[in-house]
Amino acid sequence: MYDYDVPDQTGKLIVVTGANSGTGKEATRRLAAAGARVVMAVRTPAKGEAARAEILARHPAANIEVRRVDLADLTSVRDFADRIIADGTPLDVLVNNAGVMAPPTRMTTADGFELQFGSNFLGPFALTVRLLPALLAAAAPRVATMSSGTANYGRIDFDDLQWERRRYRPNLSYAQSKLADLILTRQLAAIAAEEGWNLLSTAAHPGFTRTNLQSSGPSLGRDKPKRSPLEAAYLLPSQGVEQGAEPLLYAATSPEAEAAGYYGPSGRFGLVGPTGPARTTKRARDTATNTRLWTQAEHLTGARLPVLTA
């Protein structure tokens, strides 16, 4: 039925952000079906509980719980991470899936960051860094982060990361945030290698997967729903969420996934099909840029690498 079979996850604790819909819900379902205990990290708990009930209807033995986190609010991110750490259970996998796509006007997070850069990159960055103590307590921890094919035309503008000087461009802002996610993946992999951590940092993109992401973002701040220009490109091949979640599941669980590996659909135009390696844009492979963005993210979020004692 599926191109990718999730290996046995029995005994593992996995956090999935944006787990109430789309690729996040599908990833949660299949990880739980494979035996993992999954924490559904969602902004709206009621929606999370509804998704949890749907999954339990198909998999009554699934071990899943809903916890609130708003990636557009760094206080919420800190509180969520603190609670996971306080539980005292090693965290085997963090799946950074949640995101917002192309709101029509420049909007801001609770901390004043441009919404896409804040929600898609700074929030997941802070969550990842704050959860490192729990991750590094696990035997073979992983962080799998969702990027996008739009990262290929993204640019990191260090002079205007928040789109305060330039005219706000929804799709270019989204592309910048998703390029930043690729950079997060690669820089975390580099840090893990340098520190000698047994932590695997990977990334994925879903190709052109039909989810509510294409409409929810462009509809923000509008009275009537609006579709993304991408979704209007009906001539492009697209796929359902069952297939679209597989690159992320592969990045999160496959024994074949590699450090800094990037995975996506291998079919037409890289938009559909079975999971395979994806090309990492040159802009995500610049060591100086990656180090600079990580340092900037630490400054903006206040989240810094833990000092670990032997």
Side-chain angles (χ1 to χ4, degrees):
M1 181 177 179
Y2 300 112
D3 289 309
Y4 178 66
D5 292 322
V6 176
D8 182 29
Q9 301 294 299
T10 300
K12 292 188 177 181
L13 173 63
I14 302 178
V15 168
V16 180
T17 67
N20 61 279
S21 66
T23 52
K25 183 167 75 171
E26 178 66 11
T28 296
R29 183 183 71 78
R30 286 165 69 177
L31 290 168
R37 173 189 162 209
V38 183
V39 174
M40 302 176 69
V42 300
R43 185 165 57 96
T44 308
K47 293 181 179 179
E49 292 293 351
R52 178 177 180 271
E54 285 182 40
I55 294 170
L56 287 173
R58 293 182 63 178
H59 307 282
N63 185 356
I64 47 182
E65 65 173 298
V66 175
R67 296 192 187 185
R68 183 180 185 277
V69 67
D70 183 353
L71 293 170
D73 182 344
L74 293 177
T75 298
S76 174
V77 170
R78 183 192 64 211
D79 291 347
F80 177 90
D82 286 350
R83 184 180 171 195
I84 291 288
I85 291 170
D87 287 346
T89 303
L91 176 60
D92 295 280
V93 186
L94 169 61
V95 180
N96 286 318
N97 165 78
V100 61
M101 180 179 180
T105 58
R106 184 184 182 277
M107 305 174 77
T108 55
T109 68
D111 305 283
F113 305 125
E114 186 273 317
L115 184 62
Q116 294 189 95
F117 191 71
S119 296
N120 296 349
F121 170 61
L122 292 176
F125 171 89
L127 182 64
T128 300
V129 172
R130 292 192 182 280
L131 284 175
L132 279 173
L135 284 160
L136 296 174
R142 293 189 180 212
V143 176
T145 300
M146 185 71 98
S147 183
S148 164
T150 63
N152 288 337
Y153 60 82
R155 304 279 197 282
I156 303 296
D157 186 342
F158 285 104
D159 293 326
D160 192 20
L161 289 173
Q162 312 296 338
W163 294 83
E164 295 168 305
R165 303 175 186 176
R166 294 168 287 170
R167 181 170 68 89
Y168 172 76
R169 302 282 294 278
N171 291 324
L172 293 183
S173 169
Y174 181 71
Q176 175 183 252
S177 73
K178 288 299 170 178
L179 173 58
D181 285 334
L182 262 186
I183 290 172
L184 163 62
T185 296
R186 294 184 67 84
Q187 187 63 12
L188 180 59
I191 291 169
E194 183 178 327
E195 297 290 337
W197 296 342
N198 184 31
L199 179 143
L200 192 68
S201 175
T202 59
H205 77 84
F208 193 176
T209 296
R210 298 183 297 274
T211 72
N212 66 353
L213 185 67
Q214 290 99 358
S215 59
S216 59
S219 299
L220 283 172
R222 294 182 184 268
D223 293 330
K224 296 181 179 179
K226 180 178 173 61
R227 314 306 280 183
S228 161
L230 178 64
E231 197 174 28
Y234 57 90
L235 294 177
L236 293 175
S238 63
Q239 60 189 5
V241 72
E242 295 83 6
Q243 184 96 59
E246 292 200 340
L248 187 61
L249 286 165
Y250 185 97
T253 65
S254 173
E256 305 300 321
E258 300 177 350
Y262 185 33
Y263 306 97
S266 62
R268 291 177 63 199
F269 310 120
L271 297 176
V272 296
T275 297
R279 183 182 69 86
T280 300
T281 177
K282 184 178 180 181
R283 295 188 193 95
R285 291 185 276 118
D286 183 86
T287 303
T289 296
N290 295 3
T291 301
R292 183 179 179 188
L293 184 63
W294 184 281
T295 301
Q296 186 74 359
E298 286 187 329
H299 172 72
L300 291 171
T301 65
R304 287 178 171 77
L305 295 175
V307 177
L308 302 173
T309 54

